[in-house]
Amino acid sequence: MASRRLGKDHGLSGEPRHALLAVPIALIATVTVVDILAPPSIHLGPFLVAAPALTASFAGPWATGFVGALAVLAQTVVAMMRTSLIDLNHIFQLIALILMSALVTFFAHLRGRHERELSRLRSVAMAAQEVVLKPIPHRIGPLRIASVYLAAETEAQIGGDLYAAARTAKGTRIVIGDVRGKGLEAVGDAALLLGAFRAAAHRQADLSALVAFLEGTVSSDLDDPAAPEGEAEDRGEAFITAAVLDVPDHEPVLHMINCGHPPPLLLRGGQVGLLEVRHPAPPLGLTEFVESQLFPETFAFEPGDIVLLYTDGVIEARDRNGTFYPLAERVVGKSGKGPDALLAHLCADLLHHAGGYLDDDAAMVAIERHGEQRQEKLAPPAAESPAAPRSRVRS
């Protein structure tokens, strides 16, 4: 997400700004001519203050100061043409115009400085995003992958949602997660988990061992004894929901451990299935409170299938009537053009549903396996054996 470059005046730049400057200049010219031709009892000088005030709304201090000086010059010409510069009425009009022009020029300067600070913050946020939330390659082995991050905060580039992919000797591992909370602590927890995943994903041969390593990393950070007492109590309430997938290159399956995360969707042949595990694990950072086993479960993942991973910011987005975003309904029949087109559709549809503003960060990752697409229907859970790859269709 590229930040918009600001011009020298830190407002609109280039031709649009110059075109808008014609409006206050035309206003000054019109008021000056009409005021000179008006009867002696009519004074239009006070209208000149609108010119610098209007300029300050879209231009920087230099343009605002120029228009203000032009308005003062115009008022001086009016005074000389109608009476004289020592006329008391024109003196007060000139003083008021000079003060107002100086005031709005100062405000334009403050706004320009604020915009420069925002520009620097955007640059820092973009750099942080490049380091923490690296973009997933579009092609990894037999997979085509698309990913997107939608930040709830206007100036934010990354928050507590996370995703990453890592290549192994036999396949690809993918993680998506959501840190409880917001702000810099959530960003730090996301960076911690992503760093641990990238470091261990290709070294841990077993998916259970990888998730156990991630759990140990998160728990050790949340239980840091060196943290201040109040901060330690707050950190004790933190956790990370995550889904960790292992997709073999040469088997039409995927293995997954779900740690309290929303279940992925499987798109196949125009239908939508819900990949629900039988034995979900607790969120990372909560294993000391909930006894569980990190047991990977297997699902069919055929060539042409698309698996959609997402965070709860997607399904908890509400419209103005308070209705949650119906993700499963909105992806039906949308998988035919690939993962990039799917996410482009979902982003536009999600923002439209939420009125253009999200209350929580949202992340999505769409994964498609290469090969000839199979149009078989998704089998209901009742027809499966416990050991077989499985998918459940949302009704």
Side-chain angles (χ1 to χ4, degrees), residues 112-185:
R113 186 172 65 179
H114 178 63
E115 289 182 348
R116 288 194 296 272
E117 292 174 354
L118 288 181
S119 180
R120 287 194 291 267
L121 288 175
R122 292 189 190 103
S123 299
V124 172
M126 289 178 63
Q129 184 184 35
E130 292 293 330
V131 173
V132 177
L133 197 63
K134 297 178 181 179
I136 298 177
H138 291 295
R139 289 183 178 269
I140 305 180
L143 306 178
R144 286 199 303 164
I145 303 178
S147 57
V148 66
Y149 189 99
L150 300 175
E153 297 295 333
T154 304
E155 300 301 332
Q157 298 291 326
I158 180 173
D161 290 10
L162 59 98
Y163 52 73
R167 194 82 174 113
T168 68
K170 297 182 179 180
T172 303
R173 285 178 171 171
I174 301 167
V175 63
I176 187 167
D178 187 0
V179 180
R180 178 187 182 274
K182 297 182 179 180
L184 293 178
E185 287 187 356

Side-chain angles (χ1 to χ4, degrees), residues 65-105:
F66 169 75
V67 172
L70 194 61
V72 171
L73 178 61
Q75 181 60 45
T76 302
V77 172
V78 170
M80 295 176 63
M81 294 290 294
R82 297 194 61 172
T83 55
S84 69
L85 284 176
I86 61 174
D87 181 81
L88 190 61
N89 180 51
H90 290 298
I91 288 177
F92 281 119
Q93 289 186 35
L94 280 170
I95 292 175
L97 185 56
I98 291 172
L99 291 177
M100 291 301 299
S101 297
L103 188 61
V104 296
T105 300

Side-chain angles (χ1 to χ4, degrees), residues 39 50 85 148 156 207 214 227 235 238 255 274 283 289 303 337 359 374:
L85 284 176
V148 66
L207 191 61
L214 299 179
R235 301 290 290 155
H255 312 290
L274 195 64
F289 305 107
K337 295 183 180 180
D359 292 326
R374 293 182 55 177

Side-chain angles (χ1 to χ4, degrees), residues 4-287:
R4 179 173 62 90
R5 286 188 176 271
L6 301 177
K8 179 179 179 181
D9 287 318
H10 309 288
L12 294 173
S13 60
E15 294 182 1
R17 177 170 59 86
H18 293 308
L20 286 176
L21 277 176
V23 176
I25 292 175
L27 175 63
I28 292 173
T30 302
V31 171
T32 301
V33 172
V34 175
D35 201 10
I36 292 175
L37 300 177
S41 59
I42 297 177
H43 298 279
L44 301 180
F47 287 101
L48 289 173
V49 75
L54 178 63
T55 306
S57 67
F58 62 84
W62 292 105
T64 303
F66 169 75
V67 172
L70 194 61
V72 171
L73 178 61
Q75 181 60 45
T76 302
V77 172
V78 170
M80 295 176 63
M81 294 290 294
R82 297 194 61 172
T83 55
S84 69
L85 284 176
I86 61 174
D87 181 81
L88 190 61
N89 180 51
H90 290 298
I91 288 177
F92 281 119
Q93 289 186 35
L94 280 170
I95 292 175
L97 185 56
I98 291 172
L99 291 177
M100 291 301 299
S101 297
L103 188 61
V104 296
T105 300
F106 177 69
F107 285 145
H109 165 71
L110 293 180
R111 190 197 66 199
R113 186 172 65 179
H114 178 63
E115 289 182 348
R116 288 194 296 272
E117 292 174 354
L118 288 181
S119 180
R120 287 194 291 267
L121 288 175
R122 292 189 190 103
S123 299
V124 172
M126 289 178 63
Q129 184 184 35
E130 292 293 330
V131 173
V132 177
L133 197 63
K134 297 178 181 179
I136 298 177
H138 291 295
R139 289 183 178 269
I140 305 180
L143 306 178
R144 286 199 303 164
I145 303 178
S147 57
V148 66
Y149 189 99
L150 300 175
E153 297 295 333
T154 304
E155 300 301 332
Q157 298 291 326
I158 180 173
D161 290 10
L162 59 98
Y163 52 73
R167 194 82 174 113
T168 68
K170 297 182 179 180
T172 303
R173 285 178 171 171
I174 301 167
V175 63
I176 187 167
D178 187 0
V179 180
R180 178 187 182 274
K182 297 182 179 180
L184 293 178
E185 287 187 356
V187 175
D189 292 340
L192 175 73
L193 181 61
L194 288 172
F197 174 80
R198 290 168 183 146
H202 64 284
R203 295 188 305 177
Q204 301 289 349
D206 183 71
L207 191 61
S208 298
L210 172 60
V211 177
F213 176 80
L214 299 179
E215 164 60 33
T217 302
V218 173
S219 296
S220 62
D221 179 71
L222 298 182
D223 297 334
D224 184 4
E229 182 176 352
E231 182 179 336
E233 293 177 359
D234 294 338
R235 301 290 290 155
E237 300 176 357
F239 58 84
I240 304 175
T241 67
V244 186
L245 284 68
D246 190 354
V247 185
D249 286 348
H250 305 295
E251 297 180 66
V253 298
L254 65 84
H255 312 290
M256 179 174 64
I257 296 179
N258 192 325
C259 301
H261 199 74
L265 298 179
L266 176 64
L267 285 63
R268 176 189 298 162
Q271 291 187 311
V272 180
L274 195 64
L275 301 186
E276 289 186 306
V277 297
R278 297 183 187 276
H279 307 286
L284 301 176
L286 295 182
T287 54

